Amino acid sequence: MSATSMRTHMSGELRSEHIGQAVSVCGWVASRREHGTQLAFVDLRDHTGVVQCVVDNGVDVRSEFVIRVTGVVRARLEGTVNKNLPTGEIELGECVVEILRTAEPPPFPIDARADKVEENTRLQHRYLDIRRERMQRNLRVRAKVNSAIRRAMEAQDFVEVETPMLVPSTPEGAREFLVPSRKEPGSFYALPQSPQLFKQLLMVAGIDRYYQIARCLRDEDLRADRQYEFMQLDAEMSFVSQDDVLEAISEAVMAAAEAATGERPPAIERITWHDAMNRFGVDKPDLRFGMELTELTDAFASTEFKAFAGAASIKGINASGKAEEMGRNKLDGLTDRAKKIGAKGLVWLKVGADGSLDSPVAKFLSADEQAELLRRLAGVPGDLILIVADDWEMTCEVLGTLRNDLGRPPVWQGPYRYVWVTEFPLFIGRNKETGKPKPGHHPFCRPHPDDLDKFETDPMAVRALAYDLVLNGWELGSGSIRIHESDLQRRVFNALGISDEEADKKFGFFLRPFEYGAPPHGGFAFGIDRLVAILAGEENIREVIAFPKTQSGSDPMTNAPTPPSPSQLAELGIRTLPAKV
RNA sequence: GGUCCCGUGGUGAAGUGGAGUUCACGCCGGCCUGUCAAGCCGGAGGUCGCGGGUUCGAACCCCGUCGGGACCGCCA
């Protein structure tokens, strides 16, 4: 398959079984070692690896020259086998070297040493960075993941449909990239933040099962796990329950994981949003480590300690064995962190060698309370116990953050712990100005059927048929069963404080087609960059993207973005403001 | 929009107020017949990101600015 008119083999594939064969390989000079004029070794590299070529007629090749070597595979001399090299038992002898292209010395070594080179330099010369084994591996893992996802979706009768990149601007959600219209000066397209609108319309259109490996664009600040452009497996299904969607997506995720790692993960476990918050304090729990939040509210029901008395929710975590390493400075740091999030304070207690509690507040806690505390948190000498008393949301959030700060390993480390987080609340928080609830996900999520009666009386308690997929504490994606009936949609809009007229104005173009027979449907989308990064052992998605942007949104290789020419602006009917001074 | 960290030959580092910026890798030249990110000898290569300030004196301290990174906000 890899043979061409110029080569017979890939260099990294040559083994003892090829001994005696005349072969041609093509690639780059990884290194050259000269021993006088009669003998030189040239390591030739292609994307499969490196093979040693023995040259005895003094060819002047330098690092990264592109060469073609024709020679005979032979066993290495006794004592010169290189066990660190997959091809280390053989070498190419009687070599004829053709220089296909000379090369400037590269700005950084094309090997693992470049892992220490400043990322900006790697990005400036990304074509050289990608020549390295690490990037080759990452991009090939990514290709395998894409391919496995396609196969898994097709095996389940999903139809790949491409949706447009030039779309109307939509009222809510992430900031959009805008593209000026030449034919309608003053009007703009938006680049899609997701194919949400189109995929739901494809359900109305009877496609039944849609998927797309879709490019999505959001003009929000970049991070280790966020780029302007990213890829999602985007899917939507008709006539389904939540379980149908979770099963279909799980199949794609497991196929992708198996393709990347060689191992199929076990069935993905599930946890409700409420349990996730209660036990881990976050809606994207990292299940790889313990330190779970422990309920203490009732244990301090009649406490004398003012900070705990009457608190709606008291919880604690046990940072096992961390008492010694956490000195006063670090504990103050944790307290500051807790206060920054919004807690009134943070109670810490160290378990002493005799099982007593060392803490500024120990004297306020009765002997019974101290004993119960130690029992519930399984405290043993050397442990550090942290307690927060506040309303339920704050207690969970603060301890969830501290738990991650204190215990969370790098995202790629250890086992892969996939988890579906289900039953997200339909509304999260309230609009500061109107006092109306804000949608937890988006306003088209289907409310949980058991909670419909609470809609008007206790909206914040209404759960949604909305779910997230989480891997090692990273949110991979989310989805929901949608609302396909207008009366239910109206109730949700009303709860959000959106009038019928406003709803029609803002979302009419989306909802009106539903009047022509929208089937019950639901779907999901998950980020392929994030999944690939974790499966490739990277903690930054830039490492699995061929040409990513920097944190400020620029590309050091192409210098994008660049100012337009005056004639481009004129054609588009656009005048720019002077740069801020 | 905010908090914190980093900018020293091509690359990675050292130098935190005082002599001529130091080292390794790479690069160039020479030597070398079994090395393997070879070895030995020699050489070139720097506006210490940029601008201003403090000082007798600044790579080093201060202010600003640009670039990069981590995080918060933001990402329905």
Side-chain angles (χ1 to χ4, degrees):
Chain A
M1 286 285 270
S2 50
T4 68
S5 54
M6 296 188 74
R7 70 179 176 215
T8 60
H9 292 78
M10 302 305 291
S11 60
E13 292 168 357
L14 296 172
R15 294 290 184 278
S16 299
E17 69 204 62
H18 298 101
I19 287 172
Q21 289 186 32
V23 301
S24 293
V25 287
C26 294
W28 290 263
V29 175
S31 101
R32 116 201 111 118
R33 297 176 291 280
E34 286 183 324
H35 296 253
T37 53
Q38 295 307 305
L39 174 67
F41 299 98
V42 173
D43 288 346
L44 182 143
R45 178 190 62 236
D46 64 24
H47 74 82
T48 61
V50 161
V51 69
Q52 171 166 288
C53 307
V54 183
V55 182
D56 39 29
N57 56 347
V59 181
D60 188 18
V61 292
R62 304 296 169 110
S63 287
E64 302 307 318
F65 275 26
V66 185
I67 58 173
R68 172 171 185 245
V69 177
T70 302
V72 177
V73 181
R74 67 188 188 199
R76 291 202 183 188
L77 294 177
E78 187 85 27
T80 63
V81 167
N82 185 344
K83 290 207 168 75
N84 300 320
L85 216 56
T87 61
E89 292 193 356
I90 56 97
E91 64 190 9
L92 247 56
E94 299 165 46
C95 290
V96 175
V97 178
E98 290 168 66
I99 295 174
L100 304 176
R101 184 72 158 91
T102 60
E104 294 291 314
F108 49 81
I110 310 300
D111 57 38
R113 283 174 292 187
D115 289 344
K116 293 198 171 111
V117 171
E118 208 171 303
E119 196 190 357
N120 202 40
T121 307
R122 293 172 53 206
L123 292 180
Q124 256 174 50
H125 304 276
R126 191 58 152 182
Y127 41 87
L128 296 178
D129 192 34
I130 294 175
R131 214 179 269 173
R132 303 189 309 128
E133 199 244 328
R134 176 190 188 183
M135 291 302 297
Q136 290 283 334
R137 176 172 23 91
N138 288 354
L139 293 181
R140 283 162 207 278
V141 165
R142 189 182 179 114
K144 278 187 188 172
V145 164
N146 277 335
S147 167
I149 287 172
R150 284 216 162 82
R151 268 178 280 126
M153 297 307 279
E154 275 158 25
Q156 298 180 91
D157 289 328
F158 282 81
V159 177
E160 183 174 9
V161 180
E162 290 142 321
T163 53
M165 292 300 285
L166 297 172
V167 301
S169 180
T170 46
E172 319 231 329
R175 187 181 295 119
E176 297 167 318
F177 285 97
L178 293 177
V179 179
S181 159
R182 175 176 57 86
K183 287 191 181 281
E184 285 186 38
S187 285
F188 293 76
Y189 302 96
L191 299 177
Q193 24 178 318
S194 90
Q196 186 68 30
L197 152 70
F198 294 97
K199 71 171 171 178
Q200 289 194 241
L201 296 185
L202 285 170
M203 296 303 101
V204 180
I207 287 290
D208 196 69
R209 292 185 170 206
Y210 143 91
Y211 89 101
Q212 182 181 196
I213 294 183
R215 187 175 299 272
C216 305
L217 298 106
R218 293 177 190 175
D219 187 5
E220 298 290 351
D221 285 1
L222 300 84
R223 287 278 208 291
D225 60 352
R226 278 159 34 186
Q227 282 274 307
Y228 280 157
E229 311 178 47
F230 57 100
M231 302 302 287
Q232 292 209 310
L233 167 66
D234 191 53
E236 196 76 12
M237 309 166 75
S238 290
F239 307 109
V240 288
S241 68
Q242 172 174 298
D243 282 354
D244 294 320
V245 177
L246 299 195
E247 276 167 34
I249 300 298
S250 293
E251 184 56 35
V253 171
M254 288 193 281
E258 186 176 9
T261 66
E263 226 169 285
R264 192 175 171 87
I268 299 176
E269 51 194 303
R270 296 188 193 183
I271 186 172
T272 64
W273 176 86
H274 190 269
D275 283 351
M277 295 302 292
N278 238 348
R279 289 173 53 195
F280 303 100
V282 291
D283 60 6
K284 42 183 178 181
D286 189 335
L287 269 39
R288 291 174 300 165
F289 67 106
M291 216 192 287
E292 287 191 27
L293 278 57
T294 301
E295 184 57 52
L296 297 170
T297 315
D298 57 310
F300 294 105
S302 50
T303 187
E304 304 280 309
F305 181 36
K306 277 187 195 157
F308 288 177
S313 172
I314 306 174
K315 287 172 182 291
I317 57 175
N318 182 351
S320 290
K322 288 203 184 282
E324 191 148 343
E325 67 186 77
M326 298 302 288
R328 197 55 197 244
N329 269 351
K330 287 190 177 172
L331 289 168
D332 287 349
L334 290 182
T335 306
D336 285 350
R337 179 99 162 125
K339 284 181 175 168
K340 229 168 194 172
I341 297 166
K344 293 176 203 75
L346 176 70
V347 167
W348 58 262
L349 311 98
K350 291 180 175 180
V351 185
D354 58 352
S356 66
L357 287 170
D358 168 23
S359 167
V361 307
K363 57 179 175 285
F364 301 116
L365 303 177
S366 72
D368 283 354
E369 286 167 346
Q370 295 195 15
E372 182 63 8
L373 182 65
L374 283 173
R375 194 185 67 76
R376 293 206 188 181
L377 284 152
V380 297
D383 286 357
L384 171 68
I385 290 169
L386 302 171
I387 302 177
V388 172
D390 215 300
D391 60 45
W392 180 78
E393 287 85 358
M394 183 60 67
T395 298
C396 291
E397 187 185 352
V398 171
L399 287 175
T401 304
L402 295 178
R403 171 179 178 270
N404 277 339
D405 285 356
L406 291 168
R408 188 156 176 251
V411 65
W412 47 267
Q413 203 175 77
Y416 302 108
R417 294 294 301 270
Y418 297 86
V419 57
W420 286 109
V421 180
T422 61
E423 297 181 19
F424 268 72
L426 190 63
F427 306 113
I428 295 180
R430 284 177 185 273
N431 186 309
K432 276 173 202 141
E433 285 156 26
T434 66
K436 293 286 186 181
K438 293 189 291 186
H441 192 47
H442 58 61
F444 314 111
C445 283
R446 187 167 200 82
H448 196 291
D450 296 349
D451 294 347
L452 284 175
D453 55 326
K454 295 184 209 158
F455 220 92
E456 281 75 22
T457 53
D458 186 10
M460 302 312 285
V462 177
R463 292 165 295 168
L465 293 178
Y467 32 86
D468 276 9
L469 178 60
V470 174
L471 170 56
N472 293 2
W474 269 19
E475 181 190 323
L476 287 185
S478 55
S480 63
I481 301 297
R482 326 295 183 187
I483 300 169
H484 67 284
E485 325 91 306
S486 44
D487 49 344
L488 183 56
Q489 186 67 65
R490 202 169 300 123
R491 281 177 77 185
V492 172
F493 279 141
N494 286 343
L496 292 168
I498 299 173
S499 68
D500 290 357
E501 298 77 43
E502 195 184 348
D504 187 62
K505 197 175 154 201
K506 270 185 160 176
F507 305 108
F509 69 100
F510 175 48
L511 295 174
R512 229 164 284 127
F514 280 33
E515 303 305 322
Y516 291 95
H521 63 286
F524 196 77
F526 74 78
I528 290 175
D529 311 81
R530 289 180 183 179
L531 176 62
V532 172
I534 297 172
L535 294 175
E538 300 286 359
E539 40 190 336
N540 190 313
I541 63 171
R542 292 191 296 271
E543 300 293 354
V544 299
I545 297 172
F547 301 105
K549 304 282 190 288
T550 67
Q551 199 167 78
S552 61
S554 64
D555 176 358
M557 186 178 72
T558 63
N559 281 326
T562 51
S565 70
S567 63
Q568 282 177 308
L569 286 179
E571 188 166 42
L572 295 166
I574 290 177
R575 200 158 52 203
T576 57
L577 292 170
K580 281 180 205 161
V581 178

